[in-house]
Amino acid sequence: MTPTPHRALAVAAVAVAVALAAPAAPRASAQPAACAADGFCEDFESRTGTTPAGRWTTAVANCSGTGTATVDTTMAHGGTKSVRIAGKAGYCNHAFAGTSLSGLPSGGDLYARFWVRHTTALPAQHVTFAALRDANDNGKDLRMGGQNKALQWNRESDDATLPAQSPAGVALSTPLPVNTWTCLEFRLDRTAGRLDTWVNGGLVTGLVVDGTPTQDVDQQWLNRGGWRPAPADLRLGWESYGEGDDTLWYDDVAVGTSRIGC
């Protein structure tokens, strides 16, 4: 029997209601479908237990305190797992999950992309949430973090900052948004000593070393000539040099020799 127009409309309405009531499909991971042959990617989905494992280790320098790094299932950018950092104020309370960069091609461009979510605005005092041990700088760290409430790079060996921590320099950077996932990318040109930084796909003017000294941006950074970084590892976590508790999650990490994107 051919349904009447009213019955057809009723059937269609029921079908729509059922579809809306059905549970949503699990969110697909934002991780690239395949890692570059000359790099690696990590979404932490294959990690079992709460201790970072596989290529990842937890590490602290010189002293340890109450900071922790764990595999977490309460928050994820893609999939169901991430690395959670419980970061506490004071240097000894630092905590990082890190991985070696051995096996990647040396020289030329090195790109990294990770998603981060944190709960407390960057403080006025200096903090670090990503670090790379520079084999060309006596093993000192190249540090990505914040100061004066905005993103910055810091070179541990001489405490140079990018941008300069003047009001004009800080204004050329940007805060790290809280309670939302943010895509951070950077490019290190290890041959020419240059650096680019993107937040959610946009290049941040104050976080660029282009080889031409620019007041309030990279002039201080370039005062020491011949900077040619050779990062040996990548560590994600939290290190405070004064004030600043924070809880952070990291997910969908990718490293390679070409830009990965968000």
Side-chain angles (χ1 to χ4, degrees), residues 197-219:
T197 313
W198 297 267
V199 175
N200 290 330
L203 186 68
V204 182
T205 304
L207 301 177
V208 172
V209 177
D210 62 6
T212 301
T214 300
Q215 185 175 352
D216 296 310
V217 181
D218 62 352
Q219 184 175 48

Side-chain angles (χ1 to χ4, degrees), residues 110-116 129 144 151 153 176 182-188 195-204 207-208 252 254 258-262:
L110 176 73
Y111 286 82
R113 190 284 315 278
F114 58 89
W115 290 82
V116 60
F129 56 75
M144 184 182 198
L151 294 171
W153 286 94
L176 181 63
T182 300
C183 177
L184 290 178
E185 301 174 83
F186 63 85
R187 175 187 77 111
L188 276 175
L195 172 62
D196 294 313
T197 313
W198 297 267
V199 175
N200 290 330
L203 186 68
V204 182
L207 301 177
V208 172
D252 293 328
S258 59
R259 190 172 173 192
I260 300 147
C262 295

Side-chain angles (χ1 to χ4, degrees), residues 39-136:
F40 67 88
C41 57
E42 176 67 77
D43 61 9
F44 304 106
E45 295 302 300
S46 65
R47 305 302 163 203
T48 59
T50 59
T51 302
R55 67 177 302 125
W56 298 87
T57 59
T58 55
V60 296
N62 303 316
C63 56
S64 61
T66 57
T68 58
T70 56
V71 176
D72 185 56
T73 58
T74 66
M75 192 74 67
H77 173 255
T80 61
K81 296 179 182 179
S82 64
V83 163
R84 179 182 186 272
I85 302 292
K88 303 298 182 182
Y91 175 73
C92 286
N93 293 319
H94 50 200
F96 288 88
T99 181
S100 171
L101 298 180
S102 63
L104 275 71
S106 60
D109 287 343
L110 176 73
Y111 286 82
R113 190 284 315 278
F114 58 89
W115 290 82
V116 60
R117 180 185 180 110
H118 75 139
T119 57
T120 306
L122 294 174
Q125 295 188 21
H126 182 202
V127 294
T128 292
F129 56 75
L132 303 98
R133 182 172 59 83
D134 188 350
N136 279 353

